[in-house]
Amino acid sequence: MPITLIAGGGMAGRACALTLRRVGYQGEIVLVGDETTPPYDRPPLSKSVIVGTADLEKVVKPGPEAYAEDGIDLRLSTAVTAVDGAARTATLSDGATLAWDALVLATGCAPRSAPISGIERAHRVTRMDEALAIHAILAEGPKRVAVIGGGFIGLEAALAAVANGHSAVVLEGGELVMQRPLGSEVAARVQRWAEARGAEIRTGVMVEEVTDAGVRLAGGEEIAADLVLCAIGQEPRLDLARELGCEEAGGGVEVDRGLRTSVEGVYAVGDIAGFPSRWADEDRIRVEHAGIAIGHGQVAAEQIATGEGQFDDLPTFWSDQGDVTLNVIGTPRADHEIVWRGDQDAPACTAFYLRDGQLRAALSAGDMKSLRGARKLFAAGVSPSPDQLADPDVNLADLAAG
């Protein structure tokens, strides 16, 4: 009987394991995850989980019994530490050796290291246990929170804290928060929306030390904080892929549309996969978002079970920042031309990203009509003129329908 080993218990690994059974796979399935918690939805960690408003039974799903019912061998508090592609075996952290016919690398990302003295005093928000530890502190009463890093996770955590009675300062080394993924023009708007919702944002500052009383900036300024969060990004875990000799591309493991790596029988999914996308400017892209992880896991399962399945989903994700939800579709790049539609101050607007006059991405805030229209434009392969995109009286869905 064939054996599929899934290395990583995140959203991609979970999707792969559960989908294998849904598409009729009859072999053994072993899902190995290094956390004590069964696979769960990760987006709530930096929002509802840290402030205690999440229903954890809906975040951690399905429960362990569902894996048992499907005949999935779920091994928690365990990691794959070594792999042998020639022998098709894997060594686990508990000393066990497993044979495999198909190996799915779903190892995700590790927090990026920071050259900051005392960084071990700061909290991360990449795992359930970390998020629950933050919640335990915030539950004690109003706190002053310092967030190192002004990316999506940093702003989400800061604004969730503010919305629940705490104060927060975001410390960003760049000129603007989220400048790298969104570009300067859109990032400036996002920063204004965050500040309007009570977050203090300091840009162009470097944290030199995390102390018992908060943080010390380069230059000596001290910022008091009861809780320090480090949200400076993460890096893909590529150790197993490199041990196997997998080719790399797009900042991760090179895969084809079926999530197959360059090594026979080995697949890579989720945060570590550098995959081809007709929605992107580049040959291969790597995307750290939940929808991509789930889709990758499902397609890899189809490939293993049936030899069919191709990943061609339009990249999409959302980010709750206080009472503002950012919805992004496509692949925004910092050098794209920006065309705005709607009221940027409300905010009830959409920023369209264009390259050489072609629509490549859209970011909507409180503007679901334009977001729905943009989805239809992408599906139809229609790219309106900048004037049409900017005019709120132009129905984007009608343009998509021709």
Side-chain angles (χ1 to χ4, degrees), residues 117-118 120-122 144 209-216 222-228:
S117 178
E120 67 278 0
R121 296 186 177 95
R144 168 72 165 169
E209 182 180 5
V210 178
T211 69
D212 290 336
V215 300
R216 180 179 297 111
E222 296 189 1
I223 296 178
D226 305 299
L227 173 67
V228 179

Side-chain angles (χ1 to χ4, degrees), residues 152-167:
F152 284 105
I153 299 300
L155 279 190
E156 287 173 355
L159 288 165
V162 169
N164 284 270
H166 309 281
S167 63

